[in-house]
Amino acid sequence: MTIRVELNPEMERQLAAEALARGIALELYAQRLLQEAIASRSKAHGRASQQEFRDFLDALASKAPNVPQLRTETFSREMIYGEHA
């Protein structure tokens, strides 16, 4: 399928510069961008499995190795709500 897209001069300049920087044809780069946009959109609407969620949390935790582990008894309901508990 062929799709015709009108770009303003700034968008055309940016697209051409990025394609050149990657060493690929402008048309191929535009096609890849569209494929990535479609893939990320379909993934964003899906739900992660429990394992995917755990993997995400593990990856997030590995990015912050200096965060101390807190014991659950560190915080109490009374500490959070005070006199309103």
Side-chain angles (χ1 to χ4, degrees):
M1 170 194 266
T2 300
I3 300 174
R4 182 184 162 122
V5 178
E6 295 288 330
L7 301 175
N8 66 42
E10 178 60 22
M11 288 176 64
E12 181 181 0
R13 185 195 65 71
Q14 285 181 330
L15 193 64
E18 290 177 21
L20 181 64
R22 288 168 175 73
I24 59 176
L26 177 61
E27 294 82 4
L28 180 59
Y29 182 61
Q31 183 183 26
R32 286 184 185 174
L33 287 177
L34 187 56
Q35 287 171 335
E36 290 171 8
I38 291 169
S40 68
R41 181 182 165 115
S42 64
K43 212 174 192 187
H45 292 324
R47 287 185 54 138
S49 68
Q50 285 186 349
Q51 187 58 48
E52 289 171 326
F53 185 65
R54 286 185 184 122
D55 292 344
F56 169 75
L57 292 177
D58 289 342
L60 188 61
S62 72
K63 301 290 186 209
N66 297 328
V67 175
Q69 294 288 329
L70 295 176
R71 299 185 326 239
T72 52
E73 55 272 1
T74 301
F75 299 102
S76 66
R77 182 175 182 83
E78 291 76 26
M79 178 190 291
I80 295 170
Y81 293 103
E83 297 175 5
H84 303 288

